[in-house]
Amino acid sequence: EKHPFKILVFAHHKQVIEYLTAFFDDAGIKHIKIDGGVKADKRQELVTDFQTKKNVRAAVLSIKACNAGVTFTAASLCIFAELDYVPGILMQCEGRIHRIGQEEKCECRYLTAPHTVDVEMWQKL
């Protein structure tokens, strides 16, 4: 049986994380959200929900809170809505999808918009 399509969306700023959460709410897409305010026991519960429940299709994740120690092999697409200044942190985030147990082809995509600091950062990264 083919796994359902699931995505990770990483962001840095709280406003962007809240916007992404509202987007998935408005679209009727069941999702989880993990940012710095989520306690460790709840964090693992959310990760388990994403990994095991077919109807949980997206994860909105803080770059700082979720760049290590979590596994999201149920996802096949990782999107960065924002960048971090440290390339190693971005690589750690990418690693959440590329873990032991990953059975699907997966991709990581970085979104940048013209005339934003992300364009300049991307060139430096």
Side-chain angles (χ1 to χ4, degrees), residues 23-123:
F23 170 81
F24 286 119
D25 284 339
D26 292 346
I29 298 170
K30 184 124 174 89
H31 61 280
I32 63 164
K33 177 184 86 168
I34 301 176
D35 60 15
V38 177
K39 298 199 182 316
D41 57 336
K42 180 64 173 172
R43 187 176 298 204
Q44 186 54 54
E45 181 182 319
L46 292 169
V47 170
T48 299
D49 285 350
F50 181 83
Q51 287 288 99
T52 62
K53 294 182 178 177
K54 289 184 178 186
N55 66 330
V56 179
R57 304 291 298 278
V60 178
L61 308 170
S62 162
I63 288 173
K64 297 293 186 192
C66 293
N67 69 49
V70 290
T71 298
F72 288 106
T73 53
S76 53
L77 177 62
C78 176
I79 298 172
F80 289 85
E82 295 183 283
L83 301 178
D84 190 85
Y85 293 99
V86 180
I89 290 177
L90 298 173
M91 290 173 64
Q92 282 290 106
C93 290
E94 285 186 14
R96 302 311 90 212
I97 196 173
H98 296 288
R99 307 280 290 170
I100 293 172
Q102 178 58 267
E103 297 175 355
E104 302 292 324
K105 177 184 174 191
C106 47
E107 295 183 30
C108 296
R109 300 285 183 196
Y110 290 83
L111 305 180
T112 59
H115 312 295
T116 66
V117 70
D118 281 352
V119 173
E120 291 179 32
M121 269 181 35
W122 182 250
Q123 291 170 353

